Amino acid sequence: MGTKEVIITVESIKPKFFEKLIQNILKLTAGTTILVLFLIFFFLLKEGYGIFSYVSLRDFILGTQWLPETTPPKFGALPLIKGSLYVTVGATLIAVPIGISVAVFLAEAAPPMLREVLKAVIELLAGIPSVVYGFLGLTILAPFIKELFNLSSALCAFTASIVLALMSLPTIVSISEDVLTTVPKEYREASLALGATKWETTLKIVIPAARTGLIAAAMLGIGRAIGETMAVLMVAGNAVMLPHSFFDP
């Protein structure tokens, strides 16, 4: 009887030990990630702080000229900030409604076979390098927009917004579709049992229930857009100037 009690005690300790080990590994991983991000931020701050010996913080934010090669150098980041906001807002206005609409279609209306094929294609698009998107935007999209709107140059914020929207769509669609499919089936059944149509159920029950996840998907998509560099440089005009419309470089 005493031997059985010892065996039972040892067996009960094993799950607790492995559970504690996994928790410690996860904590270590999370802590390492935070530390690496802090070190990256510290390195960028340390290396870039020297510009404030040439310009004040106000001139850095509100300055309109970025001429680091001149003597004395000029570091006005307003064109860079405004240009980033232009292309990010444009990409958000395009990608978020389309991405959530596609996710709703995949989760609620698409046949199972079509859903699996489309989701695989969308997730494949997320792995394409940004330079490929930039090259396609430069060689295919920009000439089309130039002819469509009769522009002198289609290397502008509007073209960059479309390219960034295409890059953000896989993230928004994939996460939104996962969120919508996790809404309990009982919600849909209860709504349909009360006489609501399928689309009324989707619009008034499923989407509100998944609202938090959809917002998170949109924020991750926006984060992909605002953090992109290469594709924007290739299709936005690569000009350090203040844009006054979406059709300015």
Side-chain angles (χ1 to χ4, degrees), residues 8-221:
I8 292 173
T9 303
V10 172
E11 292 295 330
S12 63
I13 290 175
K14 283 184 180 180
K16 293 181 180 180
F17 171 77
F18 285 113
E19 183 178 341
K20 195 71 175 176
L21 178 63
I22 292 172
Q23 287 179 352
N24 291 332
I25 292 174
L26 292 175
K27 288 179 181 179
L28 179 63
T29 304
T32 304
T33 303
I34 295 172
L35 178 62
V36 169
L37 290 175
F38 174 78
L39 291 176
I40 292 173
F41 176 78
F42 176 77
F43 174 79
L44 293 175
L45 184 63
K46 176 177 176 295
E47 295 297 318
Y49 186 75
I51 67 170
F52 293 111
S53 61
Y54 299 98
V55 295
S56 64
L57 179 61
R58 179 180 180 277
D59 292 336
F60 173 74
I61 296 175
L62 300 179
T64 58
Q65 292 183 309
W66 185 271
L67 301 171
E69 302 294 332
T70 61
T71 304
K74 298 179 181 180
F75 299 100
L78 185 60
L80 308 178
I81 296 171
K82 190 174 181 180
S84 297
L85 291 176
Y86 259 75
V87 296
T88 302
V89 170
T92 301
L93 293 176
I94 297 171
V96 172
I98 295 177
I100 293 179
S101 299
V102 172
V104 170
F105 170 74
L106 292 177
E108 301 297 321
M113 182 65 70
L114 180 61
R115 181 188 303 125
E116 294 301 321
V117 172
L118 289 179
K119 190 165 184 183
V121 172
I122 289 169
E123 291 179 351
L124 181 64
L125 291 175
I128 297 178
S130 59
V131 67
V132 176
Y133 282 104
F135 177 75
L136 294 176
L138 186 64
T139 58
I140 298 175
L141 182 61
F144 173 75
I145 292 177
K146 179 180 179 180
E147 183 177 348
L148 180 65
F149 293 101
N150 193 24
L151 302 173
S152 59
S153 174
L155 300 180
C156 56
F158 181 70
T159 307
S161 297
I162 295 177
V163 172
L164 287 184
L166 293 175
M167 296 176 65
S168 303
L169 274 174
T171 301
I172 297 174
V173 173
S174 181
I175 297 176
S176 297
E177 195 269 342
D178 291 338
V179 169
L180 291 168
T181 54
T182 58
V183 175
K185 185 172 64 175
E186 290 78 7
Y187 288 16
R188 298 175 175 84
E189 293 175 348
S191 177
L192 295 173
L194 292 173
T197 64
K198 182 176 180 60
W199 284 111
E200 286 176 340
T201 300
T202 300
L203 294 175
K204 297 182 179 181
I205 302 297
V206 178
I207 292 178
R211 181 175 60 249
T212 303
L214 295 178
I215 293 174
M219 292 179 65
L220 288 172

